[in-house]
Amino acid sequence: MPEFNAPLRDMRFVLHEVFDAPALWARLPALAETVDADTADAILEEAAKVTGQLLAPLNRSGDEEGARFDGGAVSTPAGFKEAYATYIDGGWVGLAGNPAYGGLGMPKMLAVQFEEMLYAAGSSFALYSALTSGACLAIDAHASEELKQTYLPRLYSGEWAGTMCLTEAHSGSDLGLLRTRAEPQADGSYAISGSKIFITGGEQDLTANIVHLVLARLPDAPPGSRGISLFLVPKFLVNADGSLGARNPVACGSIEHKMGIKASASCVMNFDGATGWLVGEPNKGLAAMFTMMNYERLSIGIQGIGCAEASYQSAVAYAHERLQSRAPGGAQQPEKSADPIIVHPDVRRMLLSMKALTEGGRAFATWVGQQLDLAKFTEDATERAQAAALVALLTPVAKAFFTDTGLESCVHGQQVFGGHGYIREWGQEQLVRDVRIAQIYEGTNGIQALDLLGRKVLAGDGASLRLFAAEIRAFVDSPAGSAQPHSAELLAALERLESVSAWLGEQAAANPAQVGAAAVDYLHLFGYVAYAFMWARMAAVAGERRASDERFYAAKLATARFYFAKLLPRIHSLEASIRAGSEPLYGLDAEQF
Amino acid sequence: MPEFNAPLRDMRFVLHEVFDAPALWARLPALAETVDADTADAILEEAAKVTGQLLAPLNRSGDEEGARFDGGAVSTPAGFKEAYATYIDGGWVGLAGNPAYGGLGMPKMLAVQFEEMLYAAGSSFALYSALTSGACLAIDAHASEELKQTYLPRLYSGEWAGTMCLTEAHSGSDLGLLRTRAEPQADGSYAISGSKIFITGGEQDLTANIVHLVLARLPDAPPGSRGISLFLVPKFLVNADGSLGARNPVACGSIEHKMGIKASASCVMNFDGATGWLVGEPNKGLAAMFTMMNYERLSIGIQGIGCAEASYQSAVAYAHERLQSRAPGGAQQPEKSADPIIVHPDVRRMLLSMKALTEGGRAFATWVGQQLDLAKFTEDATERAQAAALVALLTPVAKAFFTDTGLESCVHGQQVFGGHGYIREWGQEQLVRDVRIAQIYEGTNGIQALDLLGRKVLAGDGASLRLFAAEIRAFVDSPAGSAQPHSAELLAALERLESVSAWLGEQAAANPAQVGAAAVDYLHLFGYVAYAFMWARMAAVAGERRASDERFYAAKLATARFYFAKLLPRIHSLEASIRAGSEPLYGLDAEQF
């Protein structure tokens, strides 16, 4: 069974050295009292223990056993319940939560690194609390004071869990079609009726209560997505003294049989006049839910990085152990029957692709975390607005690019193992199955791409993209940026992105199909440029500090070289495909497929 | 549960119209008596029935149930045994077998299309006979007359099955390491001892006997791959009258728990002094086994196409039915709550990618089949040698490119389904799991790429590549080729391939790591150029015949446009990555990963 050891040195490199998080925290009053470099390191070290020793050992057995459904109840696999109890004792669910209601108030820059460890140790287990953290964010931002006081403390503590109830059988990407109804009651509550599918953790045996955030329609709601409201619907009603009261008529009808994340229960949830409370304004539910959705989108992106990191660690270990054939230039270990396969160029190509994509993603996630912290904690209105704009721009990229490259990485990791990669006991095939869902749920990656190109780039007339470009140019013009070796390639790639964006802006005005036709290629192009920015930043720091730890920093510089030489050129094909336009997609009538 | 309907119209298009197989058959004496257009069509229609009605319905249940191991015996899933009995009654196992021993003597061009249907209906079931057909080929080519008379008729009939016993626990890609021993016995037989792993169908309950082709070492064998011999080792010894005799001491020790192809038993096979007979010359076993391996490599490539075709059919049906959101230009079906998702450009991008890759692969497989038929049946020595050289060049491309693009296609098909793509009952996730093995077994795709670039292109000083290029140029210069619209793009792509090949030839002389560093990118570059050739040929025929069936031929022309506009540009990134050389792969020492 594969081990997982959190890559603490790499995480500290990104957090402290590349982004200098402690300096940022020191200048933001709300964080200055809460966290410093030592606190952050202590938290990450503790997180490494919890994920590596408590959770990772449950990942294979959890996959084999799966979640089980029996008469409305869901059982998680052996060991989950005990591990969950230990896990929540550490306060991890409320790590970045609001301290006014029991959260720990830690910065998102730190939380993203914890989340990566959590997913690397096991996607299924991670989901049970990832939904809770996101639900807290939406409740904290939009619910009444009474709801916050009733629910947030026990959600942050992990005693209760949260869910996100959006999808219905006929309404997935198109939420405007949803039919679940909410009838106002005399006491100010609502009676919720309808059926939701694919509800992660909709039912489970880990927590005493489950708090569903549910999208539904009020009786007088306008049709489509403007007529959706958000409701909080607990599994058990909560008495005035905080104790659990009557069972609410919301029940799990069945769970799905899935490709992966088998220990995570994906539930059909039936609401049969269940009591709920409005969160936020009537008919503004979609916007309120987006507070949670954006949280989850970044989180699910990080699932892609976590799975890729786990796959990478396992593949590197195997490539050191497995002896097959000789190095191209002759035997490297002539005393053995063959050389370890890490000598072979194609094995290195796969491992370096994984390494460059995973570490690029980790830096990018930490950058998004930094912008989230700025948007939340800075007192400078301009800085806050710019950070919020960058978060909006980068979130769909994080969700889709981390997970698309996450699948690529896990497929490489599996391939390094040869035939053993296909065998369950080695764990690599599970990572491929588990990471695959991350490209689908929380808005498919196609939906993320439409959001990026349509809403975040073109709809704002490119303002957010200009912010992104300005960040890159400011770096390249800085002493550190100009001293690293990849400025010319980075700027050339950025110019390709800007040129394509401008071209798409013109095209889309005349032909609305151009946006959808280009969107996925565009998101990938954006992602490769963003990772080039991250690798140039990492190379800048590594170049400066190389003498202090040659082995570590030289590896960063070499991985940056690999990225620019072997992966960044993918933008050429993406650009050519984008510029071929939408016409090639409409040469066939629907019935000619 | 998804249906599978063999794409007979598309298959006939490739077989009859693009490659004009009947004209070839008519001029090859051995085939002229055996097959004509009508016979071929009748066979394909019967194959469509068998695969669509008998086998496809077992694919999901076979995955859920899996092969089971109990006390040395293997049970296939419910229904497999009965279906196998019906299946072999049709003579399918010996379809292209030697008529002197009971085979039907059909051309490979036809057989590849049958194999595609077989894998599309279910990879697991297909493997039980795919190995038999390959074993027959090796026995027919290398075994003694006595062995051929004893074994071939009942292998061709499917009463007995064949296996391929190469891999040992410590010896996978590097067969030179294998340790299984063969001791000569007084009666001219050999006692085989050793343990093999990953043996597909090593044990099963479908056939009365199982004939293992086993690589092993004679006592005086030189070390490495020059000391390997090939042996035929039956599960039950065969008496002089053809009846089954004593059980040979070869037994299944366990079966693997795998990501997919769960109904196919992947066996640990223990040979404990089992009686076997030498096939071919002592110490020339690897070359003899390559007769079977090359057969299986093409066959496993076709698994990639078959899975992709099944995924495509299912995804198209879903894209017609599933209603979500509106077309970019406004509602297409305003009477419904939303438009079918096939109106969305990104859904079309995925479906067209699948269609272009699958049909390109089908044409390529048929082309390889044509060259195999020429190499086997032509009486012209030059034509035979050229065909054999093309087969050697194209086989690793077929194996690796069909399966790499097969995974891409199945992932697209799954993505079209959104969340439902991740749920087992819809079948798409099984195709992803089942097709994934095809990139690994029969020589990983990395090994195929080394074979292509190292042995087939560079070692022969580019002679085979020149043959390939000459075929393309001859087509472009022909009246049909010059009339189709993609000549310039095709020739430009070919020139990129030639230029990169020449550069690699120079580089490899000085730096042996260049071959391995470039190999996978090179194979993909080659594959995209080859598919461009196929699409130009298909476009030529479709352009000529368009008036006779506008709907069908216009779709071919539009898919060709899509291929050249959206997929062929991938060669630019591949070329850039290749030309970046091997240095970026060796910037890290092994311990820096």
Side-chain angles (χ1 to χ4, degrees), chain B residues 439-455:
Chain B
Q439 301 173 286
I440 298 173
Y441 62 9
E442 270 316 308
T444 66
N445 286 1
I447 294 290
Q448 305 299 324
L450 283 174
D451 179 49
L452 172 69
L453 180 56
R455 289 199 209 113

Side-chain angles (χ1 to χ4, degrees), chain B residues 48-308:
Chain B
K49 279 184 208 153
V50 168
T51 53
Q53 294 166 21
L54 179 71
L55 303 183
L58 296 172
N59 197 34
R60 281 290 306 123
S61 57
D63 180 69
E64 291 296 336
E65 188 178 339
R68 280 157 303 153
F69 176 77
D70 186 14
V74 169
S75 314
T76 55
F80 270 49
K81 210 166 169 172
E82 298 74 13
Y84 185 83
T86 306
Y87 166 73
I88 65 172
D89 275 351
W92 298 107
V93 183
L95 185 66
N98 186 347
Y101 303 95
L104 296 182
M106 288 294 155
K108 189 70 186 175
M109 290 182 86
L110 189 62
V112 295
Q113 300 206 337
F114 167 64
E115 282 181 81
E116 182 195 321
M117 295 184 204
L118 196 62
Y119 283 111
S123 291
S124 287
F125 188 96
L127 289 166
Y128 286 110
S129 64
L131 274 293
T132 306
S133 301
C136 289
L137 208 64
I139 294 168
D140 188 36
H142 304 289
S144 68
E145 186 58 34
E146 190 184 345
L147 287 176
K148 289 203 257 188
Q149 290 195 358
T150 306
Y151 290 96
L152 281 179
R154 277 183 279 190
L155 287 167
Y156 282 140
S157 72
E159 290 166 86
W160 298 351
T163 79
M164 179 159 86
C165 299
L166 284 75
T167 303
E168 300 177 8
H170 62 286
S171 170
S173 297
D174 188 353
L175 286 172
L177 299 174
L178 69 82
R179 292 180 195 146
T180 297
R181 302 179 318 279
E183 293 283 341
Q185 305 297 297
D187 66 353
S189 71
Y190 295 81
I192 312 292
S193 296
S195 190
K196 299 282 183 179
I197 65 168
F198 299 158
I199 306 309
T200 301
E203 184 55 79
Q204 32 82 352
D205 58 0
L206 302 176
T207 62
N209 203 1
I210 301 175
V211 179
H212 304 289
L213 289 187
V214 186
L215 292 182
R217 291 186 183 285
L218 293 167
D220 57 352
S225 57
R226 286 149 198 253
I228 297 173
S229 303
L230 180 62
F231 299 88
L232 183 157
V233 184
K235 176 178 171 184
F236 290 99
L237 299 175
V238 181
N239 298 321
D241 65 355
S243 63
L244 293 184
R247 175 74 192 253
N248 211 355
V250 44
C252 176
S254 62
I255 66 173
E256 306 289 350
H257 301 101
K258 307 189 300 292
M259 181 187 201
I261 54 165
K262 293 189 178 186
S264 167
S266 304
C267 303
V268 172
M269 296 303 297
N270 299 314
F271 297 83
D272 189 16
T275 300
W277 289 270
L278 186 67
V279 174
E281 301 292 308
N283 301 329
K284 300 279 173 63
L286 210 52
M289 192 56 126
F290 256 102
T291 303
M292 179 170 186
M293 276 202 271
N294 282 325
Y295 176 92
E296 301 301 343
R297 285 178 173 182
L298 178 58
S299 180
I300 291 311
I302 293 169
Q303 183 187 355
I305 303 173
C307 290

Side-chain angles (χ1 to χ4, degrees), chain A residues 222-234:
Chain A
S225 56
R226 286 150 197 253
I228 296 173
S229 303
L230 180 62
F231 299 88
L232 184 156
V233 183

Side-chain angles (χ1 to χ4, degrees), chain B residues 468-517:
Chain B
F468 173 77
E471 292 264 329
I472 294 179
R473 291 204 167 85
F475 164 73
V476 169
D477 292 341
S478 71
S482 61
Q484 57 79 36
H486 300 294
S487 293
E489 298 151 279
L490 173 59
L491 284 176
L494 175 62
E495 283 161 16
R496 300 319 316 147
L497 177 66
E498 291 175 317
S499 163
V500 166
S501 305
W503 182 83
L504 280 169
E506 293 158 21
Q507 291 286 315
N511 174 3
Q514 287 286 16
V515 175

